[in-house]
Short mmCIF file of all heavy atoms in Angstrom, two decimals:
data_model
loop_
_atom_site.label_atom_id
_atom_site.label_comp_id
_atom_site.label_asym_id
_atom_site.label_seq_id
_atom_site.Cartn_x
_atom_site.Cartn_y
_atom_site.Cartn_z
N SER L 27 -13.28 26.63 -10.53
CA SER L 27 -14.00 27.75 -9.89
C SER L 27 -15.50 27.55 -10.00
O SER L 27 -16.06 27.14 -11.02
CB SER L 27 -13.67 29.04 -10.59
OG SER L 27 -14.46 30.14 -9.97
N GLY L 28 -16.19 27.65 -8.88
CA GLY L 28 -17.66 27.38 -8.84
C GLY L 28 -18.02 25.94 -8.46
O GLY L 28 -19.27 25.69 -8.24
N HIS L 29 -17.08 24.98 -8.48
CA HIS L 29 -17.40 23.65 -8.14
C HIS L 29 -17.44 23.57 -6.60
O HIS L 29 -16.39 23.80 -5.90
CB HIS L 29 -16.40 22.69 -8.72
CG HIS L 29 -16.65 22.33 -10.19
ND1 HIS L 29 -16.03 21.30 -10.81
CD2 HIS L 29 -17.52 22.81 -10.99
CE1 HIS L 29 -16.41 21.21 -12.01
NE2 HIS L 29 -17.38 22.11 -12.19
N THR L 30 -18.56 23.08 -6.10
CA THR L 30 -18.75 23.06 -4.66
C THR L 30 -18.23 21.76 -3.98
O THR L 30 -17.87 21.66 -2.87
CB THR L 30 -20.12 23.34 -4.23
OG1 THR L 30 -20.98 22.36 -4.88
CG2 THR L 30 -20.62 24.70 -4.66
N ALA L 31 -18.27 20.72 -4.84
CA ALA L 31 -17.85 19.39 -4.37
C ALA L 31 -16.43 19.10 -4.69
O ALA L 31 -15.96 19.42 -5.83
CB ALA L 31 -18.78 18.32 -4.91
N LEU L 32 -15.73 18.46 -3.74
CA LEU L 32 -14.24 18.21 -3.98
C LEU L 32 -14.01 16.76 -3.40
O LEU L 32 -14.45 16.52 -2.22
CB LEU L 32 -13.35 19.26 -3.41
CG LEU L 32 -11.85 19.12 -3.52
CD1 LEU L 32 -11.22 20.56 -3.63
CD2 LEU L 32 -11.11 18.33 -2.58
N TYR L 33 -13.27 16.00 -4.09
CA TYR L 33 -12.98 14.60 -3.67
C TYR L 33 -11.51 14.33 -3.76
O TYR L 33 -10.78 14.92 -4.67
CB TYR L 33 -13.68 13.63 -4.66
CG TYR L 33 -15.17 13.78 -4.81
CD1 TYR L 33 -15.59 14.82 -5.75
CD2 TYR L 33 -16.13 13.05 -4.14
CE1 TYR L 33 -16.93 14.99 -5.94
CE2 TYR L 33 -17.44 13.21 -4.40
CZ TYR L 33 -17.88 14.23 -5.23
OH TYR L 33 -19.23 14.30 -5.44
N TRP L 34 -10.98 13.60 -2.87
CA TRP L 34 -9.61 13.00 -2.95
C TRP L 34 -9.70 11.47 -3.14
O TRP L 34 -10.53 10.83 -2.39
CB TRP L 34 -8.83 13.36 -1.69
CG TRP L 34 -8.34 14.74 -1.61
CD1 TRP L 34 -8.98 15.70 -0.86
CD2 TRP L 34 -7.11 15.26 -2.08
NE1 TRP L 34 -8.19 16.87 -0.97
CE2 TRP L 34 -7.03 16.61 -1.72
CE3 TRP L 34 -6.09 14.72 -2.85
CZ2 TRP L 34 -5.94 17.42 -2.03
CZ3 TRP L 34 -5.03 15.50 -3.25
CH2 TRP L 34 -5.00 16.87 -2.84
N TYR L 35 -8.90 10.94 -4.08
CA TYR L 35 -8.78 9.62 -4.33
C TYR L 35 -7.33 9.24 -4.28
O TYR L 35 -6.48 10.02 -4.55
CB TYR L 35 -9.42 9.19 -5.72
CG TYR L 35 -10.91 9.16 -5.69
CD1 TYR L 35 -11.63 10.28 -5.89
CD2 TYR L 35 -11.57 7.95 -5.62
CE1 TYR L 35 -13.02 10.28 -5.81
CE2 TYR L 35 -12.94 7.90 -5.65
CZ TYR L 35 -13.64 9.03 -5.73
OH TYR L 35 -15.03 9.02 -5.76
N ARG L 36 -7.05 7.94 -4.05
CA ARG L 36 -5.69 7.41 -4.12
C ARG L 36 -5.72 6.25 -5.13
O ARG L 36 -6.63 5.46 -5.17
CB ARG L 36 -5.26 6.87 -2.76
CG ARG L 36 -3.94 6.23 -2.66
CD ARG L 36 -3.46 5.96 -1.28
NE ARG L 36 -4.25 4.82 -0.67
CZ ARG L 36 -3.94 4.34 0.58
NH1 ARG L 36 -2.96 4.90 1.30
NH2 ARG L 36 -4.63 3.32 0.98
N GLN L 37 -4.61 6.25 -5.94
CA GLN L 37 -4.46 5.29 -6.94
C GLN L 37 -3.09 4.60 -6.77
O GLN L 37 -2.06 5.23 -7.09
CB GLN L 37 -4.58 5.82 -8.34
CG GLN L 37 -4.62 4.84 -9.51
CD GLN L 37 -4.85 5.45 -10.84
OE1 GLN L 37 -4.55 6.54 -11.12
NE2 GLN L 37 -5.54 4.72 -11.77
N ARG L 38 -3.12 3.36 -6.33
CA ARG L 38 -1.94 2.61 -6.12
C ARG L 38 -1.64 1.94 -7.51
O ARG L 38 -2.51 1.67 -8.28
CB ARG L 38 -2.06 1.65 -5.02
CG ARG L 38 -2.04 2.21 -3.71
CD ARG L 38 -2.36 1.27 -2.59
NE ARG L 38 -1.91 1.66 -1.28
CZ ARG L 38 -2.45 1.16 -0.16
NH1 ARG L 38 -3.36 0.21 -0.22
NH2 ARG L 38 -2.02 1.58 0.97
N LEU L 39 -0.39 1.61 -7.70
CA LEU L 39 0.01 0.95 -8.96
C LEU L 39 -0.80 -0.24 -9.23
O LEU L 39 -0.87 -1.20 -8.42
CB LEU L 39 1.55 0.58 -8.87
CG LEU L 39 2.15 0.15 -10.15
CD1 LEU L 39 2.13 1.28 -11.13
CD2 LEU L 39 3.65 -0.35 -9.86
N GLY L 40 -1.38 -0.29 -10.44
CA GLY L 40 -2.14 -1.46 -10.88
C GLY L 40 -3.51 -1.67 -10.21
O GLY L 40 -4.14 -2.62 -10.37
N GLN L 41 -3.90 -0.58 -9.47
CA GLN L 41 -5.17 -0.71 -8.74
C GLN L 41 -6.15 0.38 -9.10
O GLN L 41 -5.67 1.40 -9.76
CB GLN L 41 -4.95 -0.70 -7.26
CG GLN L 41 -4.13 -1.84 -6.71
CD GLN L 41 -3.99 -1.93 -5.28
OE1 GLN L 41 -4.90 -1.45 -4.55
NE2 GLN L 41 -3.00 -2.56 -4.72
N GLY L 42 -7.39 0.24 -8.85
CA GLY L 42 -8.35 1.26 -9.10
C GLY L 42 -8.25 2.42 -8.19
O GLY L 42 -7.42 2.34 -7.25
N LEU L 43 -9.03 3.46 -8.37
CA LEU L 43 -9.05 4.54 -7.45
C LEU L 43 -9.81 4.30 -6.21
O LEU L 43 -10.87 3.74 -6.24
CB LEU L 43 -9.74 5.81 -8.16
CG LEU L 43 -8.84 6.60 -9.15
CD1 LEU L 43 -8.58 5.81 -10.46
CD2 LEU L 43 -9.45 7.92 -9.36
N GLU L 44 -9.20 4.60 -5.05
CA GLU L 44 -9.81 4.44 -3.76
C GLU L 44 -10.27 5.83 -3.23
O GLU L 44 -9.46 6.70 -3.18
CB GLU L 44 -8.75 3.91 -2.70
CG GLU L 44 -8.15 2.62 -2.88
CD GLU L 44 -7.11 2.45 -1.84
OE1 GLU L 44 -7.42 2.30 -0.63
OE2 GLU L 44 -5.85 2.59 -2.18
N PHE L 45 -11.54 5.90 -2.74
CA PHE L 45 -12.02 7.10 -2.23
C PHE L 45 -11.30 7.36 -0.85
O PHE L 45 -11.18 6.44 -0.08
CB PHE L 45 -13.53 6.97 -2.07
CG PHE L 45 -14.15 8.02 -1.25
CD1 PHE L 45 -14.44 9.25 -1.72
CD2 PHE L 45 -14.45 7.74 0.05
CE1 PHE L 45 -14.97 10.25 -0.90
CE2 PHE L 45 -15.02 8.77 0.93
CZ PHE L 45 -15.27 10.04 0.40
N LEU L 46 -11.02 8.67 -0.69
CA LEU L 46 -10.38 8.99 0.59
C LEU L 46 -11.31 9.97 1.37
O LEU L 46 -11.65 9.65 2.52
CB LEU L 46 -9.06 9.74 0.37
CG LEU L 46 -7.96 8.88 -0.24
CD1 LEU L 46 -6.74 9.80 -0.46
CD2 LEU L 46 -7.54 7.73 0.72
N ILE L 47 -11.70 11.05 0.86
CA ILE L 47 -12.51 12.16 1.53
C ILE L 47 -13.26 12.96 0.57
O ILE L 47 -12.86 13.13 -0.63
CB ILE L 47 -11.56 12.96 2.39
CG1 ILE L 47 -12.40 13.80 3.39
CG2 ILE L 47 -10.56 13.82 1.62
CD1 ILE L 47 -11.52 14.54 4.43
N TYR L 48 -14.35 13.60 1.09
CA TYR L 48 -15.33 14.29 0.25
C TYR L 48 -15.68 15.61 0.98
O TYR L 48 -16.09 15.47 2.05
CB TYR L 48 -16.50 13.47 -0.13
CG TYR L 48 -17.81 14.14 -0.59
CD1 TYR L 48 -17.85 14.94 -1.72
CD2 TYR L 48 -18.98 14.02 0.19
CE1 TYR L 48 -19.02 15.56 -2.17
CE2 TYR L 48 -20.14 14.71 -0.21
CZ TYR L 48 -20.12 15.40 -1.36
OH TYR L 48 -21.33 16.03 -1.75
N PHE L 49 -15.62 16.64 0.22
CA PHE L 49 -16.11 17.95 0.82
C PHE L 49 -17.30 18.53 -0.04
O PHE L 49 -17.17 18.44 -1.30
CB PHE L 49 -14.96 19.01 0.71
CG PHE L 49 -13.85 18.71 1.64
CD1 PHE L 49 -12.67 18.01 1.11
CD2 PHE L 49 -13.75 19.14 2.91
CE1 PHE L 49 -11.64 17.79 1.88
CE2 PHE L 49 -12.68 18.94 3.72
CZ PHE L 49 -11.58 18.14 3.21
N GLN L 50 -18.27 19.03 0.59
CA GLN L 50 -19.44 19.66 -0.04
C GLN L 50 -19.75 20.94 0.60
O GLN L 50 -20.31 20.94 1.68
CB GLN L 50 -20.60 18.74 -0.17
CG GLN L 50 -21.77 19.36 -0.77
CD GLN L 50 -21.64 19.79 -2.20
OE1 GLN L 50 -21.49 18.90 -3.04
NE2 GLN L 50 -21.78 21.08 -2.41
#
Side-chain angles (χ1 to χ4, degrees):
Chain L
S27 178
H29 278 192
T30 57
L32 186 148
Y33 308 80
W34 283 97
Y35 283 82
R36 177 170 71 177
Q37 186 174 30
R38 288 172 162 161
L39 188 64
Q41 298 187 24
L43 279 72
E44 296 173 72
F45 167 78
L46 295 177
I47 189 168
Y48 159 63
F49 295 92
Q50 173 63 62

